[in-house]
Amino acid sequence: MFRVAICDDNSFDLSTMSSYLAELRSAGIFAEVTTYSSGTELISEFEKGHRFQCLILDMLMTPLDGISTAREIRKYDSYVPILIVTSTVQYALEGYQVNAWRYLVKPVDKNLFLSEIASIYREQDIEKPNCFIVSNETGMHKIRYADIMYFESNLHMIKLRTLDNEYIFRGSISDIEERMTPYHFFRVHKSFVVNLAHVKTIYKASLLMENGDTVFLSKHRSAKLYEAMLDYAEQKYDI
């Protein structure tokens, strides 16, 4: 699923662009669209740990305009493509400050709009990610998936544990689960998502990870964990 957020304080434009995105299904692109009527709403979602694969921002929103919204979002995600739609290109140069993908002038041409969205989708689809980006008060950290032992949730904070280090950042364990499951990660407990490659021993109510840490295992997730481990082994060793 291609997760797209549209942020525009004009309800008609929100509805129009959402309907355009629905037409991508004919090209095999299934967009999960979430709409926001203000930049502060969208920023709040990023603060909670929600992430998207494409953002569409109106330039002339109030009280927070598109560039200001994008600037705040870049504190949480430096790479998400941002498409800015605007009734004027007067502020186009400011887009370079937030690494905007492109400016489109309203009323948005449907074919051009869908072409740009499809380009964003294809670029992300071709360049399969292999690193997790953590942005916190100490800066931005790029951690290879292969080096991650597990993620642990504590309220709205996430601890990412590697063999030698740990990184704390704001996020949602449910979002981590959704994002990392395709890369052989599994949610073994309400608070833990583990890298199957680094599970050393499975006990009745816990796991021993390769770095020596113990992770809780929920009883109702045990059967699914064994299935996931078998699938992982079959893919890794071509059983």
Side-chain angles (χ1 to χ4, degrees):
M1 190 66 71
F2 185 47
R3 299 186 301 278
V4 180
I6 309 176
C7 187
D8 197 316
D9 57 4
N10 184 305
S11 58
F12 176 79
D13 289 339
L14 273 180
S15 177
T16 299
M17 287 186 285
S18 295
S19 67
Y20 288 170
L21 289 171
E23 296 186 23
L24 288 170
R25 288 177 175 269
S26 62
I29 302 173
F30 297 89
E32 180 183 86
V33 181
T34 308
T35 60
Y36 301 91
S37 58
S38 74
T40 53
E41 288 181 11
L42 180 57
I43 293 167
S44 178
E45 292 291 272
F46 274 84
E47 290 175 344
K48 295 173 185 176
H50 296 292
R51 296 293 182 267
F52 301 92
Q53 293 165 288
C54 176
L55 301 182
I56 303 165
L57 306 182
D58 177 36
M59 179 64 230
L60 299 179
M61 294 184 292
T62 58
L64 204 63
D65 64 40
I67 293 297
S68 298
T69 299
R71 189 174 291 117
E72 289 300 309
I73 286 170
R74 284 296 184 222
K75 296 178 181 179
Y76 301 96
D77 191 331
S78 298
Y79 300 100
V80 59
I82 298 176
L83 186 65
I84 294 179
V85 294
T86 177
S87 56
T88 173
V89 295
Q90 177 181 354
Y91 306 100
L93 288 178
E94 296 184 43
Y96 291 104
Q97 301 175 18
V98 294
N99 193 27
W101 175 272
R102 185 172 175 178
Y103 273 79
L104 293 181
V105 178
K106 291 185 176 182
V108 175
D109 178 84
K110 182 174 71 171
N111 291 332
L112 179 58
F113 175 76
L114 292 180
S115 175
E116 290 299 329
I117 297 296
S119 294
I120 291 172
Y121 173 83
R122 285 193 298 269
E123 179 168 292
Q124 294 197 10
D125 189 54
I126 292 170
E127 296 181 8
K128 295 296 184 183
N130 62 3
C131 290
F132 192 92
I133 306 297
V134 172
S135 295
N136 56 24
E137 66 276 2
T138 64
M140 182 174 294
H141 311 275
K142 189 175 182 181
I143 304 108
R144 294 195 313 146
Y145 289 167
D147 294 333
I148 300 173
M149 296 285 160
Y150 61 86
F151 297 87
E152 179 182 359
S153 172
N154 183 9
L155 297 177
H156 297 298
M157 303 305 294
I158 301 292
K159 176 171 74 174
L160 185 161
R161 190 75 168 89
T162 67
L163 180 63
D164 302 312
N165 296 294
E166 63 179 45
Y167 305 85
I168 307 296
F169 61 98
R170 185 174 295 276
S172 160
I173 196 68
S174 294
D175 288 343
I176 296 293
E177 176 187 15
E178 180 182 358
R179 174 176 174 180
M180 301 304 293
T181 294
Y183 306 103
H184 306 298
F185 283 72
F186 187 83
R187 189 171 183 178
V188 297
H189 183 272
K190 66 179 181 179
S191 300
F192 290 93
V193 171
V194 305
N195 186 343
L196 297 178
H198 294 303
V199 175
K200 185 175 182 180
T201 308
I202 302 176
Y203 298 108
K204 185 176 181 179
S206 64
L207 305 176
L208 178 64
M209 305 302 294
E210 285 187 345
N211 65 341
D213 288 357
T214 298
V215 170
F216 294 128
L217 171 62
S218 296
K219 182 178 180 180
H220 72 279
R221 299 178 191 266
S222 295
K224 290 292 185 181
L225 171 62
Y226 281 105
E227 291 178 11
M229 289 293 293
L230 180 59
D231 288 343
Y232 169 69
E234 288 177 345
Q235 291 184 44
K236 182 176 181 180
Y237 300 108
D238 196 22
I239 296 174

